[in-house]
Amino acid sequence: MALFSFLTGFFFKANALLKTPFFVYYSKKSHYICVIFNKTMEKIFNNTQVAFSLKSDTELDRAYFLFKLIDNQPLVRIGTAVTNFAIKAHLPVEGLIRATVFDHFCGGVNENDCLPVVDKMFAKGVSSVLDYSVEGKEDEAHFDEAMQMTLKIIDFAKAKEALPFAVFKPTGFGRMDLYEKIGEKVTLTPAEQEEWNRVVARYDTVCKAAHQNDIALLIDAEESWMQDAADDLVTAMMQKYNKEKPIVFNTLQMYRWDRMDYLKKLHQKAEAEGFYIGMKLVRGAYMEKENERAKEKGYPTPICASKDATDENYDESVRYMIEHLDKMAVFAGTHNELSTYKVMEFQIKKNIDKKDARIWFGQLYGMSDNISYNLAFEHYNVAKYLPFGPVRDVMPYLIRRAEENTSVAGQTSRELNLIKTERDRRKSK
């Protein structure tokens, strides 16, 4: 760390003399130091004209209003409770929800409804990942419906260049409790074993379709207590369908301190058995729930000890994957500007083309447009997760988005500052 401090001070002095942007990256784990002088370190994410080029003045005003509300934690809690009550009581609130929070964070109520949004974004170089965001359903009929929807999206995507990926959640295909039992090696009843066989069959059906249609398939990560079973199942799909290139992608939540070790072991397995790894890297979205459960049940939390440790874990995983692109493809899902700059610099250091299909950036629709559209403007591969589904069924997702923005330090204030900057720029024209 002393060496890092010395180098940082030295290069700041050099920067003052040479007026050359530079980037310093240091990893405590591997003692990896990277210093690069390059024009890409210009602050491209501050360009609000590019970031909000698709938004009308009215849409920009709505975004400002929404993030102002989200910035108020008590108001988010009250709004969540009132919305849940209104939905359960079947009050006529869908129109209001659709015109505000739904249209900001979602593409539409079905895949066809999303097409105008998909086409508009692709005109700016931003691809889409259609995400059927119906959550909290735990019966066989809904699991089969989610599988059919995923197959439909794969079929939809094969004829649409703007849709390079399909996606599903593990608990969209099977019960959380069942994943947990499998992960804990609990002996299943005959009925549970049949149920698990159906889960495996759903995975295999969609992975086979993705392979046949050459559409990359992102499989999300969820709570740690169900993730072992999901990881094993996704690995089995990689072994089967990633023999020529990465088609099936798992997801690593890098706020978990054990994920780098998991990635390295999976890499060893892929090298030994001859298959490719596809991986979406995220920080994670269940931190409070994870910490609370660990405390309640008396086991060590799986979450990193600090935000800095999570950031380092994330950046280290990206670096590791880019250094092993011969066997890997990475979907860097992040709203963190510094981490995004680091991915760009890793590509430059390795002389990897911006459009190399093995490296993608990803953000959620309705968030971090300054990252997505400026990356696309610079010709990097970038895709927005575009949630869709019936308004009432998507409400759990929307509530999670609001709560996540409220809990992530700086997330909402950054969005507000960018929107305000663009509104001021337009008014001054």
Side-chain angles (χ1 to χ4, degrees):
M1 194 64 195
L3 178 60
F4 174 68
S5 299
F6 168 77
L7 284 173
T8 301
F10 171 80
F11 282 112
F12 268 115
K13 291 176 183 176
N15 184 51
L17 293 171
L18 300 175
K19 300 187 184 303
T20 305
F22 69 90
F23 166 74
V24 181
Y25 172 67
Y26 171 70
S27 168
K28 295 177 187 174
K29 289 182 181 178
S30 61
H31 305 294
Y32 172 84
I33 296 177
C34 172
V35 183
I36 300 173
F37 292 89
N38 195 275
K39 65 179 182 178
T40 60
M41 285 313 294
E42 296 168 7
K43 291 188 176 181
I44 65 169
F45 299 141
N46 289 343
N47 188 331
T48 60
Q49 184 175 3
V50 170
F52 300 114
S53 57
L54 288 181
K55 287 197 184 306
S56 66
D57 290 347
T58 301
E59 289 170 331
L60 205 59
D61 289 343
R62 180 186 65 189
Y64 187 79
F65 171 74
L66 282 174
F67 281 110
K68 265 291 189 185
L69 292 178
I70 291 171
D71 199 33
N72 188 315
Q73 288 192 29
L75 203 56
V76 169
R77 285 195 292 269
I78 293 167
T80 296
V82 170
T83 302
N84 277 330
F85 172 78
I87 292 291
K88 289 176 182 175
H90 299 284
L91 298 178
V93 294
E94 288 190 35
L96 176 63
I97 294 169
R98 176 78 199 255
T100 53
V101 64
F102 183 92
D103 279 352
H104 183 82
F105 289 110
C106 298
V109 297
N110 56 52
E111 67 279 9
N112 287 306
D113 203 20
C114 293
L115 281 180
V117 178
V118 170
D119 290 339
K120 278 202 317 184
M121 289 200 297
F122 196 59
K124 297 292 184 180
V126 176
S127 298
S128 297
V129 183
L130 290 183
D131 182 13
Y132 183 58
S133 296
V134 175
E135 300 181 358
K137 308 289 187 180
E138 286 217 328
D139 58 79
E140 293 295 300
H142 280 101
F143 297 148
D144 286 336
E145 180 185 342
M147 180 190 71
Q148 291 301 326
M149 182 57 72
T150 308
L151 291 171
K152 194 173 184 180
I153 292 169
I154 291 169
D155 190 58
F156 205 60
K158 71 180 181 183
K160 196 85 175 165
E161 187 184 355
L163 302 172
F165 298 93
V167 63
F168 72 89
K169 286 185 68 168
T171 53
F173 282 18
R175 288 189 300 114
M176 169 76 79
D177 289 348
L178 190 59
Y179 281 102
E180 186 177 357
K181 284 185 176 182
I182 294 288
E184 293 176 350
K185 313 298 183 188
V186 174
T187 302
L188 302 182
T189 67
E192 287 173 333
Q193 186 60 57
E194 287 182 13
E195 185 183 357
W196 181 247
N197 292 344
R198 289 193 293 272
V199 175
V200 174
R202 291 183 189 109
Y203 273 69
D204 192 66
T205 299
V206 297
C207 290
K208 182 178 180 180
H211 180 262
Q212 290 174 339
N213 291 287
D214 198 25
I215 300 294
L217 181 64
L218 304 171
I219 303 173
D220 287 342
E222 300 184 65
E223 290 87 344
S224 61
W225 53 91
M226 61 76 64
Q227 195 58 46
D228 285 349
D231 286 343
D232 290 346
L233 188 44
V234 178
T235 298
M237 296 297 112
M238 286 187 191
Q239 290 168 304
K240 189 171 182 179
Y241 294 111
N242 287 8
K243 291 188 179 298
E244 293 86 26
K245 66 175 185 177
I247 288 289
V248 178
F249 282 62
N250 201 358
T251 299
L252 291 184
Q253 296 167 308
M254 300 312 299
Y255 65 2
R256 286 182 55 177
W257 50 262
D258 65 338
R259 295 292 83 184
M260 268 305 300
D261 287 341
Y262 174 83
L263 177 60
K264 290 176 180 179
K265 288 176 182 176
L266 182 63
H267 181 210
Q268 292 173 353
K269 187 178 184 68
E271 289 280 11
E273 299 180 15
F275 65 91
Y276 291 83
I277 295 171
M279 201 65 75
K280 181 178 71 167
L281 301 175
V282 299
R283 277 171 169 76
Y286 305 96
M287 184 172 68
E288 292 179 8
K289 187 189 292 187
E290 291 281 1
N291 284 331
E292 286 172 8
R293 187 177 190 271
K295 185 177 180 180
E296 178 188 324
K297 292 188 174 290
Y299 61 82
T301 178
I303 305 301
C304 290
S306 67
K307 171 70 162 57
D308 287 344
T310 296
D311 291 342
E312 182 175 337
N313 216 23
Y314 185 92
D315 296 334
E316 181 70 8
S317 66
V318 174
R319 183 193 67 80
Y320 184 87
M321 292 195 70
I322 289 177
E323 288 193 341
H324 297 95
L325 277 185
D326 58 320
K327 272 290 179 185
M328 299 184 180
V330 57
F331 186 101
T334 181
H335 293 198
N336 185 294
E337 293 179 12
L338 183 56
S339 286
T340 306
Y341 281 128
K342 287 176 180 177
V343 180
M344 296 160 68
E345 293 294 354
F346 291 151
Q347 286 190 245
I348 292 166
K349 182 175 182 289
K350 292 291 184 179
N351 294 316
I352 300 167
D353 190 85
K354 291 179 179 180
K355 283 295 184 183
D356 192 302
R358 296 169 296 179
I359 301 176
W360 280 79
F361 297 86
Q363 291 80 42
L364 297 169
Y365 183 69
M367 294 169 60
S368 299
D369 286 347
N370 65 312
I371 295 178
S372 306
Y373 289 97
N374 281 298
L375 279 172
F377 190 76
E378 295 291 331
H379 308 294
Y380 287 91
N381 295 321
V382 57
K384 285 279 203 186
Y385 257 59
L386 188 59
F388 73 95
V391 175
R392 289 176 180 271
D393 292 338
V394 173
M395 280 313 300
Y397 168 84
L398 293 174
I399 289 168
R400 201 152 51 79
R401 283 284 75 80
E403 290 173 344
E404 185 178 323
N405 272 276
T406 302
S407 64
V408 176
Q411 176 74 48
T412 303
S413 59
R414 182 186 64 170
E415 296 282 357
L416 282 168
N417 288 335
L418 290 164
I419 294 167
K420 184 178 183 300
T421 299
E422 178 59 13
R423 290 169 89 196
D424 292 344
R425 186 194 71 80
R426 292 184 186 186
K427 288 174 184 175
S428 67
K429 286 173 62 177

